[in-house]
Amino acid sequence: MDRRNFLKFSSASVAAMCAGTVGLVSWTPRAHAATINKTYYITEGFIAQPDGVDVYFRGFSNNTNSLAVPGEHMIVQEGDTVNITIVNTLNSSHNFTIDGFEDDNGDPVDTGRIRGGRSATVSFKAANPGTYMYHDSRNAPYNRLVGLHGGFAVMPAGRNNQLYPGSRTFVQQHFWIFHDIDPVWHNAVRNGNTPNTAYSPRYFTINGLVGRPPGAPGSGDPSLDAMHDPRSALHGHVGDRTLLRVLNPGLCQSSVHTHGNHMEWLTDNGTVRDDVWEKDCIYLEGDMGKMDAIYPFDSPPDAWPRVSTGTYPMHLHTEMSQTAGGGLYMFGSLTDIYFE
Ligand SMILES: [Cu+2]
């Protein structure tokens, strides 16, 4: 297929779409259940990577002229009626399902097969507060790996500061969706083939972007630089406890590592932990791993004299995840934590 037939994107279209919805994407605390309607359009195209290489992706996008990888996060409240429509603009078949989630009736959410050019709607009542990944589970893991994934969360009814009733509290929340990308596999999927080469990821992203070191092209641009993307970078004053909903649609296992403070580790792959450990490194399983943790925004305990401002990095503790294109260092899955 002629490449000019595809939409081409810098990463910009993804982050720009979310500007103004910092952190609390699509959810504000409210007293009553609501009806939430959302439409995702399955689109495809190329996204320029930090070394200039255009890589093929598919995404759950907000309109037919964009390409969102990951798709926009959804946060709903327990008891809400949720209607999600998927418009498949491609020729290939896809579905939309929320991994591990059961609705008010104990049923999973899944559109089933949506043939090329068709649409489908799932309607359900939200239950089971927590963090989930929505994705296309067909042709697994390939449709998910080429970009058909995003974050979904249910807030407990009547609470705006807890992950589940009785959990430790927070004042703001973010999704951190980590991903790893093998362009050879993406290209095979583009051509309708099943990848038959060894998995060799060359790009590592957080919410679809990589960090850009100072002085590098795109550094400081919130639509390109994960250290300045409002979806990823943490901003807070001392005491602004921040929930991190961490998802891994990629295949690589990771270790999420924060500076400044340890994280309070609340859940491991959807299971609430009996004890809340405070750790500066938390293991994230590959191939659909997830965890929740709170970054407490305490005055950094190791700093002397005591400080309440400063900037600290978050990065994955696997070396290759901090590179792009097979070795470009510091163009990987990292962001910054700003004490203000
Ligand atoms: Cu470090």
Side-chain angles (χ1 to χ4, degrees), residues 7-26:
L7 297 168
K8 247 185 94 173
F9 300 93
S10 71
S11 310
S13 59
V14 181
M17 174 180 90
C18 297
T21 53
V22 182
L24 279 172
V25 181
S26 75

Side-chain angles (χ1 to χ4, degrees), residues 205-229:
T205 55
I206 170 172
N207 292 327
L209 299 179
V210 302
R212 310 246 175 174
S219 175
D221 179 342
S223 68
L224 289 172
D225 182 351
M227 290 188 277
H228 293 271
D229 176 0

Side-chain angles (χ1 to χ4, degrees), residues 257-259 313-317:
H257 170 61
T258 55
H259 290 217
M314 184 289 302
H315 58 103
L316 298 185
H317 248 191

